[in-house]
Amino acid sequence: MKRVKSKADASKKADNKLSAKKGSERASKKPRKLKAAKDPNKPKRPPSAFFVFMEEFRKSFKEKNPNNKSVSVVGKAGGDKWKSMSEDEKVPYVTKAAKLKTEYAKKLATYNNNQSGGGSYAAGDEDESDKSKSEVNDDEEEEEGSEEACEEEEDD
């Protein structure tokens, strides 16, 4: 007597084939590349105008709704308010974000210069970048003048 195949048997075989394929596909895939380690000295990216707005909005929302513990509610309310604001109302946040972006660009340039120069980015390095260009040039001229004086003494 022949056994009649039922639909359940057919679907089990299909499932077994699929699971066998998935296992072999996983084994054949290359392992994921590891992410490069983040440099803790690298300056953080500046917030966008929306995030500058949200800093202020969170404080005011928390004062109005002290019992609210949900982060998503604050985010939704902030997003709705941001969407309803006109461009004129957004101007102070946009200008502050632009200012933060220019500061970030300066810090990043300093960081990149130090990285290419082999030095590490530290708080002490910022003092040199804060000098005005005239002060830096004055220091170089003094050094050149002292070198010339040394050369003249050696010639005598």
Side-chain angles (χ1 to χ4, degrees), residues 3-106:
R3 183 173 173 217
V4 179
K5 292 183 182 177
S6 68
K7 289 182 180 179
D9 290 338
S11 65
K12 284 182 184 177
K13 280 188 178 181
D15 288 342
N16 288 339
K17 288 180 183 178
L18 288 175
S19 63
K21 283 184 181 179
K22 285 183 182 176
S24 63
E25 286 175 9
R26 287 184 186 147
S28 66
K29 283 187 178 179
K30 295 179 182 177
R32 289 186 176 190
K33 293 181 182 178
L34 297 175
K35 288 184 178 180
K38 291 184 179 180
D39 186 357
N41 296 325
K42 188 173 182 179
K44 287 187 176 184
R45 292 183 67 188
S48 66
F50 173 71
F51 283 101
V52 172
F53 161 76
M54 282 301 291
E55 288 175 23
E56 187 178 299
F57 181 79
R58 277 188 205 100
K59 292 175 187 172
S60 64
F61 190 83
K62 197 170 188 177
E63 289 172 2
K64 292 176 185 174
N65 306 310
N67 295 333
N68 181 30
K69 304 283 184 195
S70 176
V71 175
S72 63
V73 171
V74 178
K76 280 189 175 189
D80 291 341
K81 172 122 189 213
W82 180 258
K83 286 178 187 176
S84 68
M85 290 171 70
S86 68
E87 293 299 319
D88 294 336
E89 292 173 318
K90 293 179 183 180
V91 167
Y93 306 109
V94 173
T95 54
K96 187 173 181 181
K99 182 181 175 187
L100 292 171
K101 188 174 181 178
T102 56
E103 290 174 9
Y104 168 75
K106 289 177 186 176

